Amino acid sequence: MIKFFRKIRQNLLMENKTGKYFKYAIGEIILVVIGILIALQINNWNENKKSENQLNNIYKEVELNLKSDLTNLEIIIKQYKQLELRLETMITEEYSNILLDSINTNNYSECIPCQGDINAFIPFEFEEKGVELLKTYNDYNAKENKDLTNEIIQFYKNAEPLNLVLNKLKEESFNTIRYFEQFSWYSDFMYGKFNPEMIDFFASNRIFKNKVVTYRLIAIQNYLPYLREYKKSATILFEKLKTTD
């Protein structure tokens, strides 16, 4: 093609048609510029399409993360609701004064404090792979997706207190284990063996009752509401992402 244009220019010069030559040269330049602009436009379109596909894949990853979170939350929230009932039972005087007195080697498994609820925790750690990919996505402020992207990032920022409360719950659980270490029945408790001194401790020790109250404050009055709120917000965002598929 270039040789063809060059031959035309040479013929015009040889024929001393200088005016036509310059007009033709200008026209050729215009054609070249138009060709370059078209090539750039196609390249931009390809890059935009590639960027759009990449962003949609990230959205899909966020959607999968939320789906996994919601499935796990169903189980975990149910477990905390059951835990709430056990904790409330532990701090009632009726349970301490009557039922614990009847615990023996045969019915030890029915001892609610012996289940070790306050020196354990039920963790929920949300999936973050999708939002981490979104944070590193170079074109995440693209106009057509800016609102949804910002909504996703803000959603995970709002969820950060979940991990803070979970860490506090872990800390309280480990502190309780360290507190139990001082008692002679500690080994029996950790191995699930009946020990009458341990049962008496659960029934009458005021520090233990206070620890139950503190644990309930963190687990039930703080962590559980955060889990429920996360589930509610995650459900809304999950449904919105499904419409982008």
Side-chain angles (χ1 to χ4, degrees), residues 178-192:
R178 298 304 300 271
Y179 174 71
F180 284 175
E181 286 177 344
Q182 65 183 296
F183 300 103
S184 60
W185 46 259
Y186 172 74
S187 179
D188 288 339
F189 173 73
M190 295 302 292
Y191 284 100

Side-chain angles (χ1 to χ4, degrees), residues 1-135:
M1 183 64 70
I2 294 175
K3 289 182 179 180
F4 175 75
F5 287 137
R6 185 184 298 125
K7 186 175 181 180
I8 294 176
R9 291 197 304 271
Q10 289 174 346
N11 291 335
L12 289 173
L13 286 173
M14 291 175 65
E15 295 173 4
N16 291 321
K17 297 179 179 179
T18 307
K20 290 185 176 181
Y21 171 82
F22 284 115
K23 289 180 181 179
Y24 175 80
I26 293 171
E28 184 178 327
I29 292 172
I30 292 173
L31 287 175
V32 171
V33 171
I34 291 174
I36 293 173
L37 291 176
I38 292 174
L40 288 174
Q41 186 66 30
I42 293 174
N43 183 67
N44 288 338
W45 185 86
N46 288 334
E47 288 298 318
N48 289 337
K49 192 64 178 178
K50 180 180 177 182
S51 180
E52 181 183 347
N53 290 337
Q54 182 183 358
L55 186 57
N56 286 335
N57 287 336
I58 293 175
Y59 285 161
K60 186 63 178 179
E61 182 64 34
V62 174
E63 182 184 334
L64 292 174
N65 292 165
L66 291 173
K67 183 178 181 180
S68 175
D69 287 347
L70 290 170
T71 299
N72 293 334
L73 273 172
E74 287 289 340
I75 300 171
I76 293 174
I77 289 177
K78 182 178 180 180
Q79 290 175 327
Y80 271 103
K81 289 169 67 175
Q82 295 170 344
L83 172 64
E84 181 178 12
L85 298 176
R86 296 196 300 272
L87 293 175
E88 290 176 351
T89 300
M90 272 190 258
I91 57 179
T92 59
E93 294 300 324
E94 292 81 4
Y95 181 77
S96 298
N97 295 334
I98 300 174
L99 297 181
L100 282 177
D101 290 339
S102 63
I103 298 297
N104 52 51
T105 55
N106 295 322
N107 62 5
Y108 175 71
S109 61
E110 300 174 10
C111 171
I112 293 178
C114 305
Q115 297 180 28
D117 284 324
I118 69 169
N119 62 299
F121 51 88
I122 309 164
F124 169 71
E125 296 177 343
F126 45 82
E127 299 281 350
E128 298 181 272
K129 181 180 178 181
V131 71
E132 291 302 321
L133 289 172
L134 196 57
K135 289 177 181 178

